[in-house]
Amino acid sequence: MRFFATCAKGTEGPLRTELSRMGLKHLKGDRGGVRFEGKLEAGMRACLHSRIAMRVLLELATFPAPDADALYEGARAVAWQEWLTERTTLAVDASVKDSALTHSQFAGLKLKDAVVDVLRDRLGARPDVDPKDPDVRIVLHVARDEATVSLDLAGHPLHRRGYRAAMTDAPLKETLAAAVLALGQVDPAKPFVDPMCGSGTLAIEHALAARRIAPGLGRPFGFQRWPVYRGQPQSRWDQLKEEARAAVLPAAPAPIVARDFAAKPLEATRLCAAAAGVLADLRVERADVRDLAPEWPEGTLCTNPPYGERLTGTHAEREARRGEEDRRGPRGGRPSPHREAPPDPHEERINLKKLTGLYRQMGETFLRHSGWEVVILSGSPLLEEAFPFKPLVSHRLWNGPIEARMLRYRMP
Ligand SMILES: C[S@@+](CC[C@H](N)C(=O)[O-])C[C@H]1O[C@@H](n2cnc3c(N)ncnc32)[C@H](O)[C@@H]1O
């Protein structure tokens, strides 16, 4: 079987390393993900253990789709009865790119028609569509007139670990936080401090990794509702989870500190850490980053500072960001009340000045941490300019539609 694990653009390298460490075979990096091959168990393993992947897709077929009829006929040739019954609910997620077919919704409908028609012909009845909570989520991607049809093993995307008990304004996706930790080569055996932790995603992901807690241990997966899975004794999946549970360390090997100057995000950090089972590994403190002083001779300062994106990005970037938020919808599901407000240039200038001042002071604070590593997910080029030292590594990656950098420094 052929699989494709998707990830944020720019994080393919650490995802490939992670999948390789799991023993997965025939790995091949691609834009936005990593391919691998194996039995269904290989896909299950990736779902359970990958911290960086967003979805794990099982590829069923690839065929030319220069128009709707070709898409329909190609999709009809897939042995859908191996994956669905007339009682399985289904949904189709479709995307099209650089193709004669330009409407993803229309392409998705064509694929759905083919699946339903095949099952009606072969089983005598058709399955129902459930766009919100299907048993089987089918993913269609048409690029340069070629269609790839896959099944989504994860169901809900893998960043939903099940510990997001409280939300803040701009939480990092768990998968992106894990990618930053991997790209920054954060050492779990050394003290870890996030001085601007927000809802604590970096600290919690670090704690999970340090204690070797598999990120998928606390959540269900899409494949568990597939007929092929339900028809089998579940021993292999149970065994994989059992092995994962046995590998968990009772405590993190080094201190983990999560700080922020605001009370609300710290409350979210506590709730999320408790839900993730790592609250005892974290020290959660209210403090200003500018008051930070080294408690240990070495360690990692790892943070995602504010970057004023809503004020400093271009208008198009802000709109793209809002579109993404609206689609994801978990922040209360309602569009931002600021949606229609035009940017105020005067306010923007003041905020940029404040931001530069904060970055400069952060740089001075970090310089007091001689011998420490500093790993930053930065959304603003102002940060690199304001810091009084140069990064060892500056790696480009995408936080949704926003270009960002993982910067790694070593304090002299
Ligand atoms: C981009 S958010 C961090 C989001 C976080 N990575 C998460 O996943 O939730 C930046 C955080 O920096 C905090 N912050 C801003 N200025 C600060 C300061 N001077 N000292 C400490 N925290 C600060 C804000 O309260 C906010 O929670």
Side-chain angles (χ1 to χ4, degrees):
M1 291 174 170
R2 288 157 50 89
F3 297 91
F4 185 57
T6 69
C7 62
K9 239 187 338 163
T11 68
E12 296 87 350
L15 173 59
R16 188 187 166 132
T17 306
E18 183 185 60
L19 296 177
S20 159
R21 286 195 184 132
M22 281 174 219
L24 300 180
K25 297 280 183 290
H26 308 291
L27 297 165
K28 193 164 164 276
D30 209 333
R31 198 177 153 88
V34 177
R35 302 184 180 286
F36 61 97
E37 290 178 23
K39 294 187 180 158
L40 192 56
E41 184 193 320
M44 293 177 179
R45 199 180 276 275
C47 283
L48 180 60
H49 288 284
S50 177
R51 300 182 194 279
I52 298 170
M54 297 199 298
R55 290 185 182 276
V56 178
L57 305 177
L58 166 62
E59 290 187 2
L60 297 185
T62 299
F63 51 86
D67 54 41
D69 290 343
L71 174 62
Y72 178 84
E73 289 307 327
R76 275 200 70 118
V78 177
W80 292 107
Q81 71 281 4
E82 288 178 12
W83 300 103
L84 295 102
T85 72
E86 67 279 17
R87 285 189 301 280
T88 322
T89 58
L90 70 105
V92 177
D93 282 357
S95 57
V96 294
K97 203 176 142 197
D98 306 332
S99 297
L101 283 167
T102 49
H103 287 91
S104 49
Q105 218 178 345
F106 174 68
L109 276 176
K110 275 283 155 198
L111 176 68
K112 188 265 300 170
D113 287 347
V115 178
V116 165
D117 292 350
V118 165
L119 291 171
R120 193 194 287 115
D121 291 353
R122 295 184 194 163
L123 305 174
R126 55 156 287 173
D128 287 331
V129 173
D130 181 350
K132 285 216 175 96
D133 186 31
D135 296 324
V136 176
R137 192 175 286 282
I138 302 169
V139 179
L140 167 68
H141 183 57
V142 186
R144 287 177 294 281
D145 294 333
E146 189 170 77
T148 303
V149 176
S150 313
L151 301 185
D152 180 352
L153 276 88
H156 293 298
L158 295 176
H159 74 85
R160 298 208 197 159
R161 316 275 205 231
Y163 67 68
R164 196 56 85 179
M167 292 297 278
T168 49
D169 219 14
L172 264 187
K173 270 204 182 143
E174 296 75 351
T175 41
L176 192 70
V180 168
L181 297 170
L183 283 164
Q185 299 175 15
V186 175
D187 185 347
K190 287 186 184 164
F192 175 100
V193 180
D194 180 349
M196 307 168 97
C197 69
S199 60
T201 319
L202 284 163
I204 293 170
E205 285 298 317
H206 176 71
L208 289 171
R211 286 191 50 200
R212 301 187 194 155
I213 299 175
L217 263 179
R219 57 159 277 169
F221 291 96
F223 66 79
Q224 291 175 280
R225 288 167 65 179
W226 294 0
V228 63
Y229 172 85
R230 287 158 75 159
Q232 280 181 5
Q234 292 174 14
S235 56
R236 195 57 202 126
W237 175 240
D238 292 341
Q239 224 175 321
L240 282 178
K241 284 181 76 168
E242 209 40 62
E243 285 164 16
R245 275 193 207 100
V248 172
L249 300 178
I256 302 173
V257 182
R259 294 163 51 123
D260 200 288
F261 73 172
K264 215 171 143 213
L266 291 177
E267 195 44 40
T269 297
R270 283 192 198 92
L271 289 169
C272 294
V278 295
L279 184 58
D281 299 291
L282 259 58
R283 220 174 77 199
V284 181
E285 295 171 351
R286 188 166 179 191
D288 195 296
V289 64
R290 290 164 278 211
D291 298 331
L292 188 69
E295 274 185 67
W296 301 277
E298 56 174 7
T300 308
L301 290 169
C302 179
T303 199
N304 163 221
Y307 51 97
E309 171 268 325
R310 280 183 179 76
L311 295 159
T312 58
T314 64
H315 187 67
E317 282 166 352
R318 281 195 295 276
E319 284 308 301
R321 169 86 175 179
R322 281 179 192 146
E324 167 86 352
E325 285 172 0
D326 291 350
R327 263 198 305 287
R328 279 193 277 140
R331 286 168 210 169
R334 292 216 304 272
S336 154
H338 306 300
R339 190 179 179 78
E340 300 306 332
D344 174 347
H346 178 63
E347 197 188 323
E348 284 198 45
R349 263 199 308 279
I350 293 176
N351 278 289
L352 284 181
K353 230 172 137 185
K354 272 194 200 159
L355 206 58
T356 308
L358 173 66
Y359 290 159
R360 203 168 290 130
Q361 288 167 321
M362 278 170 63
E364 285 160 12
T365 306
F366 291 173
L367 265 183
R368 295 202 288 266
H369 292 70
S370 176
W372 282 57
E373 309 281 335
V374 173
V375 174
I376 294 183
L377 176 65
S378 166
S380 168
L382 293 177
L383 186 133
E384 265 187 272
E385 288 163 21
F387 268 26
F389 33 78
K390 291 267 163 280
L392 294 176
V393 181
S394 172
H395 181 96
R396 203 150 58 119
L397 71 169
W398 274 262
N399 183 2
I402 306 286
E403 187 181 323
R405 294 252 162 197
M406 189 290 301
L407 302 167
R408 186 161 161 256
Y409 301 88
R410 191 173 167 80
M411 292 302 98

